Amino acid sequence: MAESDSSNSSIIHISCPYYIGSSDKPNSIIVSNVLNGVGFYSWKRSMIASLSAKNKYGFVDGSIQPPATNLPTHRANSMMISWILNSLNNNLAGSILFLPTAYELWNELHQRFEQSDGALVYNIQQQIYSLSHGEDDFSSYFTKLTKIWDELRIIQCLPSCTCGTTTSI
């Protein structure tokens, strides 16, 4: 009985973020849009959704610390690194290939691409102004417009109101 208890000590429960399922492979591509330097916010949103669904988002936001490399649970951090690298084009992947944790990869990508600069805001505003209904049906046109509006909203990161006026409405 003691032998079976010790052999079960290395089993990781399915709800644990360190759990690696039989369908989780290092060469898996978990998002359809590969980041090539353009469309960071869409890529980020897709990655967050995929990683959250796999109970792994904590590795990139820092709430889950990767274990020591000699522990079996270290495989989860390695899997995360593979998934992130597989979602980048070759040039980007090569430039962050040697960072040791998924958290560091994620932060490096944020530092490079998550900057609200005037040129990017201007570019997105130009997309909104130049978008026309054309031959699209209303649903397609509205979907394109909403996608651009959402990207602009995320990039601009408007500060929240602290004056209390919005609570009285």
Side-chain angles (χ1 to χ4, degrees), residues 22-38:
S22 60
S23 65
D24 293 332
K25 307 287 185 218
N27 61 347
S28 296
I29 298 172
I30 63 170
V31 295
S32 60
N33 51 334
V34 173
L35 180 63
N36 61 3
V38 178

Side-chain angles (χ1 to χ4, degrees), residues 39-167:
F40 174 74
Y41 295 96
S42 299
W43 173 86
K44 177 184 169 187
R45 177 69 182 118
S46 298
M47 285 295 290
I48 288 172
S50 294
L51 295 175
S52 295
K54 293 179 171 288
N55 196 22
K56 303 284 189 271
Y57 181 64
F59 284 97
V60 295
D61 77 357
S63 62
I64 299 171
Q65 295 298 314
T69 56
N70 60 345
L71 297 176
T73 51
H74 179 69
R75 290 180 51 227
N77 181 64
S78 297
M79 187 72 70
M80 294 290 306
I81 290 171
S82 295
W83 289 341
I84 293 170
L85 292 174
N86 288 337
S87 71
L88 305 173
N89 75 4
N90 289 338
N91 289 336
L92 282 176
S95 70
I96 62 172
L97 181 63
F98 296 103
L99 294 175
T101 66
Y103 176 74
E104 290 177 82
L105 267 72
W106 191 258
N107 280 338
E108 178 63 27
L109 292 169
H110 275 257
Q111 288 176 359
R112 288 187 195 183
F113 300 109
E114 192 174 67
Q115 297 176 11
S116 177
D117 60 48
L120 181 58
V121 170
Y122 176 78
N123 183 295
I124 293 171
Q125 288 173 338
Q126 288 301 98
Q127 289 178 34
I128 292 170
Y129 299 142
S130 65
L131 187 66
S132 67
H133 191 284
E135 294 185 20
D136 289 338
D137 59 32
F138 179 75
S139 178
S140 298
Y141 169 73
F142 186 74
T143 300
K144 289 177 186 176
L145 187 60
T146 302
K147 180 181 180 275
I148 298 169
W149 279 339
D150 288 344
E151 189 171 2
L152 182 61
R153 179 182 48 82
I154 290 169
I155 290 170
Q156 286 184 326
C157 297
L158 298 174
S160 58
C161 176
T162 57
C163 65
T165 304
T166 58
T167 59

